[in-house]
Short mmCIF file of all heavy atoms in Angstrom, two decimals:
data_model
loop_
_atom_site.label_atom_id
_atom_site.label_comp_id
_atom_site.label_asym_id
_atom_site.label_seq_id
_atom_site.Cartn_x
_atom_site.Cartn_y
_atom_site.Cartn_z
N MET M 1 7.68 6.99 9.83
CA MET M 1 7.09 6.47 8.63
C MET M 1 8.01 5.39 8.02
O MET M 1 9.20 5.52 8.16
CB MET M 1 6.98 7.62 7.60
CG MET M 1 5.67 8.29 7.60
SD MET M 1 5.33 9.36 6.16
CE MET M 1 6.69 10.33 6.00
N MET M 2 7.27 4.34 7.46
CA MET M 2 8.07 3.34 6.70
C MET M 2 7.19 2.86 5.59
O MET M 2 6.00 3.06 5.50
CB MET M 2 8.25 2.16 7.74
CG MET M 2 7.06 1.56 8.23
SD MET M 2 7.41 0.16 9.37
CE MET M 2 5.77 -0.40 9.73
N PRO M 3 7.79 2.16 4.63
CA PRO M 3 7.12 1.66 3.54
C PRO M 3 6.15 0.54 3.84
O PRO M 3 6.34 -0.16 4.88
CB PRO M 3 8.22 1.05 2.58
CG PRO M 3 9.52 1.62 3.02
CD PRO M 3 9.29 1.96 4.52
N LEU M 4 5.10 0.44 3.18
CA LEU M 4 4.04 -0.56 3.44
C LEU M 4 4.62 -1.98 3.46
O LEU M 4 4.27 -2.86 4.18
CB LEU M 4 2.99 -0.41 2.41
CG LEU M 4 1.84 -1.45 2.55
CD1 LEU M 4 1.05 -1.25 3.82
CD2 LEU M 4 0.83 -1.26 1.32
N SER M 5 5.71 -2.22 2.60
CA SER M 5 6.24 -3.46 2.50
C SER M 5 6.91 -4.01 3.86
O SER M 5 7.14 -5.19 4.06
CB SER M 5 7.32 -3.62 1.31
OG SER M 5 8.24 -2.56 1.46
N PHE M 6 7.16 -2.98 4.71
CA PHE M 6 7.82 -3.43 6.04
C PHE M 6 6.78 -3.78 7.12
O PHE M 6 7.12 -4.11 8.25
CB PHE M 6 8.67 -2.29 6.52
CG PHE M 6 9.97 -2.11 5.77
CD1 PHE M 6 10.84 -1.02 6.01
CD2 PHE M 6 10.37 -3.01 4.78
CE1 PHE M 6 11.97 -0.80 5.26
CE2 PHE M 6 11.49 -2.77 4.02
CZ PHE M 6 12.31 -1.68 4.27
N ALA M 7 5.46 -3.49 6.79
CA ALA M 7 4.42 -3.74 7.82
C ALA M 7 4.29 -5.23 8.15
O ALA M 7 4.66 -6.12 7.31
CB ALA M 7 3.08 -3.19 7.32
N ASN M 8 3.85 -5.55 9.27
CA ASN M 8 3.61 -6.99 9.70
C ASN M 8 2.26 -7.42 9.20
O ASN M 8 1.33 -6.61 9.05
CB ASN M 8 3.64 -7.03 11.25
CG ASN M 8 4.88 -6.79 11.89
OD1 ASN M 8 6.01 -7.07 11.26
ND2 ASN M 8 5.03 -6.05 12.94
N ILE M 9 2.17 -8.71 8.97
CA ILE M 9 0.89 -9.28 8.51
C ILE M 9 -0.11 -9.20 9.55
O ILE M 9 0.09 -9.40 10.80
CB ILE M 9 1.09 -10.79 8.13
CG1 ILE M 9 2.07 -10.84 6.93
CG2 ILE M 9 -0.29 -11.51 7.83
CD1 ILE M 9 2.55 -12.32 6.61
N GLY M 10 -1.34 -8.69 9.15
CA GLY M 10 -2.46 -8.55 10.12
C GLY M 10 -2.53 -7.21 10.82
O GLY M 10 -3.62 -6.78 11.42
N GLU M 11 -1.43 -6.39 10.79
CA GLU M 11 -1.37 -5.18 11.47
C GLU M 11 -2.01 -4.08 10.62
O GLU M 11 -1.88 -3.96 9.42
CB GLU M 11 0.06 -4.77 11.58
CG GLU M 11 0.46 -3.54 12.36
CD GLU M 11 1.93 -3.39 12.47
OE1 GLU M 11 2.50 -2.84 11.57
OE2 GLU M 11 2.56 -3.76 13.44
N VAL M 12 -2.99 -3.32 11.33
CA VAL M 12 -3.78 -2.20 10.57
C VAL M 12 -2.84 -0.98 10.64
O VAL M 12 -2.48 -0.51 11.76
CB VAL M 12 -5.08 -2.04 11.14
CG1 VAL M 12 -5.82 -0.87 10.53
CG2 VAL M 12 -5.97 -3.31 11.11
N ASN M 13 -2.60 -0.30 9.52
CA ASN M 13 -1.77 0.92 9.49
C ASN M 13 -2.66 1.95 8.64
O ASN M 13 -3.49 1.61 7.86
CB ASN M 13 -0.56 0.74 8.77
CG ASN M 13 0.34 -0.30 9.55
OD1 ASN M 13 0.87 0.08 10.61
ND2 ASN M 13 0.55 -1.50 9.15
N THR M 14 -2.35 3.19 8.78
CA THR M 14 -2.83 4.27 7.97
C THR M 14 -1.90 4.82 7.06
O THR M 14 -0.64 5.06 7.42
CB THR M 14 -3.28 5.49 9.00
OG1 THR M 14 -4.15 4.90 10.00
CG2 THR M 14 -3.99 6.54 8.24
N ILE M 15 -2.22 5.00 5.80
CA ILE M 15 -1.42 5.59 4.76
C ILE M 15 -1.15 7.05 5.13
O ILE M 15 -2.06 7.85 5.25
CB ILE M 15 -2.06 5.39 3.34
CG1 ILE M 15 -2.24 4.02 3.02
CG2 ILE M 15 -1.21 6.11 2.36
CD1 ILE M 15 -3.10 3.71 1.78
N LYS M 16 0.17 7.40 5.16
CA LYS M 16 0.57 8.76 5.46
C LYS M 16 0.99 9.57 4.27
O LYS M 16 0.80 10.79 4.28
CB LYS M 16 1.70 8.74 6.57
CG LYS M 16 1.16 8.22 7.94
CD LYS M 16 2.21 8.41 9.02
CE LYS M 16 1.76 8.12 10.35
NZ LYS M 16 1.64 6.72 10.66
N ARG M 17 1.52 8.79 3.26
CA ARG M 17 2.05 9.54 2.06
C ARG M 17 2.15 8.54 0.96
O ARG M 17 2.50 7.33 1.22
CB ARG M 17 3.33 10.19 2.39
CG ARG M 17 3.94 11.07 1.25
CD ARG M 17 5.10 11.82 1.70
NE ARG M 17 6.22 11.00 2.03
CZ ARG M 17 7.10 10.48 1.17
NH1 ARG M 17 6.99 10.63 -0.06
NH2 ARG M 17 8.18 9.67 1.69
N ILE M 18 1.90 9.05 -0.28
CA ILE M 18 2.11 8.15 -1.49
C ILE M 18 3.21 8.85 -2.22
O ILE M 18 3.18 10.03 -2.62
CB ILE M 18 0.96 8.08 -2.35
CG1 ILE M 18 -0.35 7.62 -1.53
CG2 ILE M 18 1.16 7.20 -3.59
CD1 ILE M 18 -0.34 6.12 -1.23
N GLY M 19 4.28 8.24 -2.53
CA GLY M 19 5.42 8.66 -3.38
C GLY M 19 5.36 8.28 -4.75
O GLY M 19 4.45 7.61 -5.22
N GLY M 20 6.34 8.75 -5.49
CA GLY M 20 6.39 8.33 -6.96
C GLY M 20 5.96 9.46 -7.89
O GLY M 20 5.59 10.58 -7.51
N LYS M 21 5.97 9.19 -9.15
CA LYS M 21 5.53 9.99 -10.20
C LYS M 21 3.95 10.23 -10.20
O LYS M 21 3.27 9.41 -9.58
CB LYS M 21 5.86 9.50 -11.58
CG LYS M 21 7.42 9.41 -11.86
CD LYS M 21 7.69 8.92 -13.12
CE LYS M 21 9.22 8.78 -13.36
NZ LYS M 21 9.58 8.26 -14.66
N SER M 22 3.55 11.22 -10.86
CA SER M 22 2.05 11.47 -10.82
C SER M 22 1.27 10.34 -11.31
O SER M 22 0.15 9.96 -10.91
CB SER M 22 1.70 12.73 -11.52
OG SER M 22 2.08 12.64 -12.90
N GLU M 23 1.74 9.62 -12.37
CA GLU M 23 1.11 8.49 -12.95
C GLU M 23 0.93 7.31 -11.91
O GLU M 23 -0.16 6.68 -11.82
CB GLU M 23 1.73 7.88 -14.19
CG GLU M 23 2.03 8.94 -15.31
CD GLU M 23 3.40 9.60 -15.16
OE1 GLU M 23 4.38 8.89 -14.88
OE2 GLU M 23 3.44 10.74 -15.35
N THR M 24 2.07 7.16 -11.18
CA THR M 24 1.96 6.11 -10.06
C THR M 24 1.10 6.42 -9.00
O THR M 24 0.22 5.62 -8.60
CB THR M 24 3.41 6.01 -9.51
OG1 THR M 24 4.37 5.70 -10.64
CG2 THR M 24 3.55 4.83 -8.43
N LYS M 25 1.06 7.68 -8.59
CA LYS M 25 0.09 8.18 -7.50
C LYS M 25 -1.37 8.01 -8.04
O LYS M 25 -2.20 7.45 -7.19
CB LYS M 25 0.34 9.63 -7.22
CG LYS M 25 1.61 9.85 -6.42
CD LYS M 25 1.84 11.37 -6.19
CE LYS M 25 3.13 11.59 -5.50
NZ LYS M 25 3.30 12.97 -5.18
N LYS M 26 -1.69 8.34 -9.28
CA LYS M 26 -3.02 8.14 -9.84
C LYS M 26 -3.47 6.72 -9.87
O LYS M 26 -4.57 6.38 -9.52
CB LYS M 26 -3.17 8.81 -11.13
CG LYS M 26 -3.18 10.36 -11.14
CD LYS M 26 -3.43 10.88 -12.55
CE LYS M 26 -3.26 12.39 -12.49
NZ LYS M 26 -3.31 12.98 -13.81
N PHE M 27 -2.49 5.84 -10.32
CA PHE M 27 -2.74 4.39 -10.35
C PHE M 27 -3.08 3.83 -8.94
O PHE M 27 -4.18 3.13 -8.72
CB PHE M 27 -1.54 3.63 -10.88
CG PHE M 27 -1.65 2.16 -10.95
CD1 PHE M 27 -2.49 1.52 -11.83
CD2 PHE M 27 -1.01 1.36 -10.08
CE1 PHE M 27 -2.62 0.09 -11.73
CE2 PHE M 27 -1.03 0.12 -9.98
CZ PHE M 27 -1.80 -0.57 -10.89
N LEU M 28 -2.28 4.19 -8.00
CA LEU M 28 -2.53 3.75 -6.64
C LEU M 28 -3.84 4.31 -6.08
O LEU M 28 -4.61 3.60 -5.31
CB LEU M 28 -1.32 4.01 -5.72
CG LEU M 28 -0.05 3.35 -5.99
CD1 LEU M 28 1.09 3.80 -5.25
CD2 LEU M 28 -0.23 1.82 -5.67
N GLU M 29 -4.17 5.58 -6.38
CA GLU M 29 -5.39 6.08 -5.93
C GLU M 29 -6.62 5.40 -6.45
O GLU M 29 -7.60 5.16 -5.77
CB GLU M 29 -5.42 7.55 -6.33
CG GLU M 29 -6.53 8.33 -5.85
CD GLU M 29 -6.44 9.87 -6.16
OE1 GLU M 29 -5.49 10.53 -5.85
OE2 GLU M 29 -7.33 10.29 -6.87
N LYS M 30 -6.49 4.96 -7.68
CA LYS M 30 -7.67 4.22 -8.28
C LYS M 30 -7.79 2.94 -7.65
O LYS M 30 -8.88 2.37 -7.64
CB LYS M 30 -7.35 4.05 -9.79
CG LYS M 30 -7.53 5.34 -10.65
CD LYS M 30 -7.35 5.13 -12.04
CE LYS M 30 -7.49 6.44 -12.90
NZ LYS M 30 -7.14 6.29 -14.24
N LEU M 31 -6.73 2.30 -7.15
CA LEU M 31 -6.82 1.06 -6.39
C LEU M 31 -7.33 1.23 -4.94
O LEU M 31 -7.63 0.26 -4.26
CB LEU M 31 -5.44 0.36 -6.37
CG LEU M 31 -4.93 -0.17 -7.62
CD1 LEU M 31 -3.54 -0.69 -7.56
CD2 LEU M 31 -5.85 -1.20 -8.26
N GLY M 32 -7.44 2.46 -4.56
CA GLY M 32 -7.84 2.80 -3.18
C GLY M 32 -6.84 3.12 -2.17
O GLY M 32 -7.12 3.43 -0.95
N PHE M 33 -5.58 3.32 -2.65
CA PHE M 33 -4.54 3.80 -1.82
C PHE M 33 -4.55 5.29 -1.66
O PHE M 33 -3.91 5.98 -2.54
CB PHE M 33 -3.27 3.15 -2.19
CG PHE M 33 -3.05 1.71 -2.17
CD1 PHE M 33 -3.37 0.89 -3.23
CD2 PHE M 33 -2.82 1.12 -0.89
CE1 PHE M 33 -3.29 -0.43 -3.19
CE2 PHE M 33 -2.70 -0.33 -0.92
CZ PHE M 33 -2.96 -1.04 -2.03
N VAL M 34 -5.19 5.86 -0.63
CA VAL M 34 -5.31 7.27 -0.50
C VAL M 34 -4.85 7.70 0.86
O VAL M 34 -5.09 6.95 1.81
CB VAL M 34 -6.83 7.72 -0.78
CG1 VAL M 34 -6.94 9.20 -0.69
CG2 VAL M 34 -7.31 7.26 -2.05
N THR M 35 -4.18 8.80 0.97
CA THR M 35 -3.73 9.28 2.32
C THR M 35 -4.90 9.28 3.39
O THR M 35 -5.99 9.70 3.06
CB THR M 35 -3.05 10.69 2.21
OG1 THR M 35 -2.08 10.60 1.16
CG2 THR M 35 -2.50 11.10 3.55
N GLY M 36 -4.60 8.70 4.44
CA GLY M 36 -5.66 8.61 5.52
C GLY M 36 -6.39 7.30 5.55
O GLY M 36 -7.09 7.10 6.60
N THR M 37 -6.23 6.41 4.47
CA THR M 37 -6.96 5.16 4.47
C THR M 37 -6.23 4.12 5.32
O THR M 37 -4.96 4.10 5.24
CB THR M 37 -7.12 4.68 3.01
OG1 THR M 37 -7.65 5.79 2.19
CG2 THR M 37 -7.86 3.50 2.87
N GLU M 38 -6.97 3.31 5.92
CA GLU M 38 -6.43 2.18 6.75
C GLU M 38 -6.08 0.99 5.80
O GLU M 38 -6.96 0.72 4.84
CB GLU M 38 -7.26 1.75 7.83
CG GLU M 38 -7.34 2.71 8.92
CD GLU M 38 -8.12 2.22 10.15
OE1 GLU M 38 -8.85 1.10 10.01
OE2 GLU M 38 -7.99 2.85 11.18
N VAL M 39 -4.98 0.37 5.95
CA VAL M 39 -4.60 -0.82 5.15
C VAL M 39 -4.02 -1.88 6.12
O VAL M 39 -3.49 -1.56 7.11
CB VAL M 39 -3.47 -0.42 4.13
CG1 VAL M 39 -4.04 0.44 3.05
CG2 VAL M 39 -2.20 0.11 4.70
N SER M 40 -4.15 -3.03 5.70
CA SER M 40 -3.52 -4.16 6.37
C SER M 40 -2.95 -5.21 5.41
O SER M 40 -3.53 -5.36 4.37
CB SER M 40 -4.47 -4.78 7.41
OG SER M 40 -5.58 -5.37 6.68
N ILE M 41 -1.82 -5.76 5.74
CA ILE M 41 -1.18 -6.83 4.92
C ILE M 41 -1.86 -8.19 5.27
O ILE M 41 -1.94 -8.61 6.32
CB ILE M 41 0.34 -7.00 5.30
CG1 ILE M 41 1.01 -5.62 5.11
CG2 ILE M 41 1.02 -7.99 4.49
CD1 ILE M 41 1.37 -5.18 3.73
N ILE M 42 -2.25 -8.81 4.12
CA ILE M 42 -2.80 -10.20 4.34
C ILE M 42 -1.85 -11.17 4.21
O ILE M 42 -1.64 -12.08 4.95
CB ILE M 42 -3.97 -10.39 3.21
CG1 ILE M 42 -5.06 -9.29 3.53
CG2 ILE M 42 -4.47 -11.75 3.26
CD1 ILE M 42 -6.14 -9.31 2.46
N SER M 43 -0.89 -11.03 3.17
CA SER M 43 0.15 -11.90 2.97
C SER M 43 1.41 -11.27 2.25
O SER M 43 1.19 -10.27 1.52
CB SER M 43 -0.24 -13.16 2.22
OG SER M 43 -0.41 -12.92 0.85
N LYS M 44 2.57 -11.85 2.41
CA LYS M 44 3.76 -11.37 1.71
C LYS M 44 4.41 -12.53 1.15
O LYS M 44 4.50 -13.67 1.68
CB LYS M 44 4.72 -10.76 2.82
CG LYS M 44 4.33 -9.52 3.46
CD LYS M 44 5.50 -9.08 4.45
CE LYS M 44 5.12 -7.87 5.17
NZ LYS M 44 6.32 -7.49 6.06
N GLN M 45 5.08 -12.18 -0.05
CA GLN M 45 5.84 -13.27 -0.74
C GLN M 45 6.92 -12.57 -1.53
O GLN M 45 6.65 -11.92 -2.60
CB GLN M 45 5.00 -14.10 -1.58
CG GLN M 45 5.65 -15.46 -1.99
CD GLN M 45 4.69 -16.46 -2.46
OE1 GLN M 45 3.65 -16.10 -3.05
NE2 GLN M 45 5.05 -17.71 -2.48
N GLY M 46 8.16 -12.62 -1.18
CA GLY M 46 9.29 -12.09 -1.89
C GLY M 46 9.22 -10.62 -2.04
O GLY M 46 9.67 -10.08 -3.07
N GLY M 47 8.58 -9.97 -1.04
CA GLY M 47 8.49 -8.50 -1.18
C GLY M 47 7.15 -8.02 -1.77
O GLY M 47 6.73 -6.93 -1.57
N ASN M 48 6.47 -8.86 -2.51
CA ASN M 48 5.20 -8.62 -3.06
C ASN M 48 4.16 -8.79 -2.00
O ASN M 48 4.36 -9.65 -1.11
CB ASN M 48 4.93 -9.47 -4.23
CG ASN M 48 5.83 -9.25 -5.34
OD1 ASN M 48 6.31 -8.24 -5.59
ND2 ASN M 48 6.27 -10.46 -6.00
N VAL M 49 3.05 -8.05 -1.89
CA VAL M 49 2.15 -8.05 -0.81
C VAL M 49 0.67 -8.11 -1.34
O VAL M 49 0.39 -7.62 -2.55
CB VAL M 49 2.27 -6.88 0.14
CG1 VAL M 49 3.58 -6.95 0.84
CG2 VAL M 49 2.12 -5.64 -0.57
N ILE M 50 -0.23 -8.86 -0.56
CA ILE M 50 -1.67 -8.79 -0.74
C ILE M 50 -2.10 -7.93 0.31
O ILE M 50 -1.83 -8.19 1.53
CB ILE M 50 -2.31 -10.15 -0.76
CG1 ILE M 50 -1.64 -10.96 -2.00
CG2 ILE M 50 -3.69 -9.94 -0.85
CD1 ILE M 50 -2.18 -12.42 -2.01
N VAL M 51 -2.78 -6.89 0.07
CA VAL M 51 -3.30 -5.89 0.96
C VAL M 51 -4.74 -5.84 1.02
O VAL M 51 -5.41 -5.89 -0.01
CB VAL M 51 -2.61 -4.44 0.65
CG1 VAL M 51 -3.04 -3.43 1.53
CG2 VAL M 51 -1.15 -4.61 0.51
N ASN M 52 -5.25 -5.51 2.27
CA ASN M 52 -6.65 -5.17 2.35
C ASN M 52 -6.91 -3.77 2.47
O ASN M 52 -6.33 -3.09 3.48
CB ASN M 52 -7.28 -5.93 3.55
CG ASN M 52 -8.78 -5.86 3.65
OD1 ASN M 52 -9.42 -5.60 2.70
ND2 ASN M 52 -9.35 -6.17 4.83
N VAL M 53 -7.53 -3.06 1.49
CA VAL M 53 -7.76 -1.58 1.51
C VAL M 53 -9.17 -1.47 1.11
O VAL M 53 -9.59 -1.88 0.04
CB VAL M 53 -6.67 -0.91 0.55
CG1 VAL M 53 -6.77 -1.38 -0.84
CG2 VAL M 53 -6.83 0.62 0.69
N LYS M 54 -9.81 -0.62 1.89
CA LYS M 54 -11.34 -0.36 1.62
C LYS M 54 -12.04 -1.64 1.37
O LYS M 54 -12.87 -1.66 0.38
CB LYS M 54 -11.43 0.60 0.47
CG LYS M 54 -10.84 1.97 0.80
CD LYS M 54 -11.11 3.03 -0.26
CE LYS M 54 -10.55 4.39 0.07
NZ LYS M 54 -10.88 5.36 -0.91
N ASP M 55 -11.91 -2.66 2.25
CA ASP M 55 -12.67 -3.92 2.09
C ASP M 55 -12.38 -4.64 0.78
O ASP M 55 -13.25 -5.41 0.35
CB ASP M 55 -14.16 -3.76 2.40
CG ASP M 55 -14.42 -3.13 3.74
OD1 ASP M 55 -13.65 -3.57 4.69
OD2 ASP M 55 -15.39 -2.36 3.90
N THR M 56 -11.33 -4.35 0.28
CA THR M 56 -10.89 -5.10 -1.12
C THR M 56 -9.58 -5.56 -0.93
O THR M 56 -8.67 -4.97 -0.44
CB THR M 56 -11.00 -3.99 -2.29
OG1 THR M 56 -12.28 -3.48 -2.32
CG2 THR M 56 -10.74 -4.76 -3.60
N ARG M 57 -9.31 -6.71 -1.46
CA ARG M 57 -7.95 -7.31 -1.50
C ARG M 57 -7.23 -6.83 -2.79
O ARG M 57 -7.77 -7.13 -3.88
CB ARG M 57 -8.03 -8.81 -1.37
CG ARG M 57 -8.34 -9.33 -0.06
CD ARG M 57 -8.40 -10.82 -0.04
NE ARG M 57 -8.69 -11.18 1.42
CZ ARG M 57 -8.50 -12.41 1.94
NH1 ARG M 57 -8.03 -13.34 1.18
NH2 ARG M 57 -8.83 -12.69 3.08
N VAL M 58 -6.02 -6.42 -2.64
CA VAL M 58 -5.31 -5.90 -3.79
C VAL M 58 -3.77 -6.48 -3.72
O VAL M 58 -3.32 -6.33 -2.61
CB VAL M 58 -5.23 -4.35 -3.85
CG1 VAL M 58 -4.37 -3.89 -5.05
CG2 VAL M 58 -6.58 -3.73 -3.88
N ALA M 59 -3.43 -7.03 -4.77
CA ALA M 59 -2.03 -7.53 -4.91
C ALA M 59 -1.15 -6.51 -5.52
O ALA M 59 -1.45 -5.95 -6.56
CB ALA M 59 -1.89 -8.80 -5.57
N ILE M 60 -0.07 -6.08 -4.93
CA ILE M 60 0.88 -5.08 -5.51
C ILE M 60 2.33 -5.55 -5.36
O ILE M 60 2.64 -6.38 -4.44
CB ILE M 60 0.74 -3.70 -4.87
CG1 ILE M 60 0.89 -3.73 -3.32
CG2 ILE M 60 -0.60 -3.00 -5.19
CD1 ILE M 60 0.95 -2.38 -2.73
N GLY M 61 3.19 -5.18 -6.34
CA GLY M 61 4.54 -5.53 -6.22
C GLY M 61 5.34 -4.76 -5.26
O GLY M 61 4.88 -3.80 -4.63
N LYS M 62 6.53 -5.26 -4.90
CA LYS M 62 7.26 -4.62 -3.89
C LYS M 62 7.74 -3.19 -4.25
O LYS M 62 7.87 -2.31 -3.38
CB LYS M 62 8.60 -5.43 -3.52
CG LYS M 62 9.62 -5.57 -4.62
CD LYS M 62 10.80 -6.38 -4.04
CE LYS M 62 11.85 -6.57 -5.17
NZ LYS M 62 12.94 -7.35 -4.69
N ASP M 63 7.84 -2.82 -5.57
CA ASP M 63 8.17 -1.40 -5.93
C ASP M 63 6.97 -0.51 -5.56
O ASP M 63 7.22 0.59 -5.12
CB ASP M 63 8.39 -1.37 -7.51
CG ASP M 63 9.73 -2.14 -7.93
OD1 ASP M 63 10.60 -2.27 -7.04
OD2 ASP M 63 9.83 -2.46 -9.06
N MET M 64 5.75 -0.93 -5.85
CA MET M 64 4.62 -0.08 -5.52
C MET M 64 4.50 0.00 -3.98
O MET M 64 4.11 1.00 -3.39
CB MET M 64 3.31 -0.68 -6.15
CG MET M 64 3.19 -0.53 -7.60
SD MET M 64 2.95 1.26 -8.00
CE MET M 64 2.82 1.02 -9.73
N ALA M 65 4.69 -1.18 -3.31
CA ALA M 65 4.46 -1.17 -1.86
C ALA M 65 5.55 -0.30 -1.13
O ALA M 65 5.24 0.46 -0.12
CB ALA M 65 4.71 -2.55 -1.32
N GLY M 66 6.63 -0.14 -1.87
CA GLY M 66 7.76 0.84 -1.31
C GLY M 66 7.36 2.24 -1.48
O GLY M 66 8.02 3.17 -0.81
N LYS M 67 6.37 2.68 -2.35
CA LYS M 67 6.00 4.02 -2.53
C LYS M 67 4.85 4.44 -1.53
O LYS M 67 4.61 5.60 -1.47
CB LYS M 67 5.55 4.28 -4.00
CG LYS M 67 6.69 4.07 -4.92
CD LYS M 67 6.30 4.25 -6.37
CE LYS M 67 7.25 4.02 -7.47
NZ LYS M 67 8.62 3.96 -7.16
N ILE M 68 4.32 3.45 -0.99
CA ILE M 68 3.19 3.76 -0.03
C ILE M 68 3.78 3.76 1.46
O ILE M 68 4.21 2.81 1.92
CB ILE M 68 2.08 2.65 -0.04
CG1 ILE M 68 1.57 2.61 -1.48
CG2 ILE M 68 0.92 2.92 0.92
CD1 ILE M 68 0.70 1.35 -1.77
N MET M 69 3.74 5.01 2.06
CA MET M 69 4.39 5.13 3.34
C MET M 69 3.20 5.15 4.39
O MET M 69 2.20 5.74 4.27
CB MET M 69 5.05 6.57 3.39
CG MET M 69 6.22 6.65 2.38
SD MET M 69 7.47 5.41 2.43
CE MET M 69 8.36 5.90 3.91
N ILE M 70 3.54 4.38 5.45
CA ILE M 70 2.55 4.19 6.61
C ILE M 70 3.22 4.72 7.82
O ILE M 70 4.47 4.88 7.93
CB ILE M 70 2.11 2.77 6.86
CG1 ILE M 70 3.36 1.86 6.94
CG2 ILE M 70 1.31 2.36 5.67
CD1 ILE M 70 3.04 0.40 7.37
#
């Protein structure tokens, strides 16, 4: 397992675990980041990432990306 921020651009990965406090988990869940969901990195810039999750593009900061384990 590794944080989402370490994934390569274009690589499809499956979310294995979401870390952090319960508020953080709920926030990410509302954005579509749920265990078992496939995600792929569209672009990276300074640790921040744009991710394709459930056919939607979502921009998240490096702190949030570090809580999503793939």
Side-chain angles (χ1 to χ4, degrees):
M1 267 195 310
M2 66 180 178
L4 179 61
S5 53
F6 290 173
N8 295 320
I9 294 173
E11 187 178 81
V12 177
N13 295 288
T14 303
I15 297 172
K16 295 189 169 76
R17 186 173 61 83
I18 306 286
K21 297 180 181 179
S22 62
E23 306 91 45
T24 304
K25 290 179 183 182
K26 286 181 185 178
F27 174 74
L28 289 170
E29 188 176 297
K30 287 179 183 178
L31 291 176
F33 295 96
V34 181
T35 303
T37 303
E38 288 188 345
V39 296
S40 61
I41 303 285
I42 296 169
S43 72
K44 292 182 180 183
Q45 194 167 24
N48 301 321
V49 293
I50 298 176
V51 180
N52 188 18
V53 60
K54 293 187 176 182
D55 297 325
T56 304
R57 289 182 177 194
V58 180
I60 56 174
K62 65 180 180 179
D63 292 339
M64 287 290 180
K67 294 179 185 345
I68 302 168
M69 303 302 285
I70 54 171

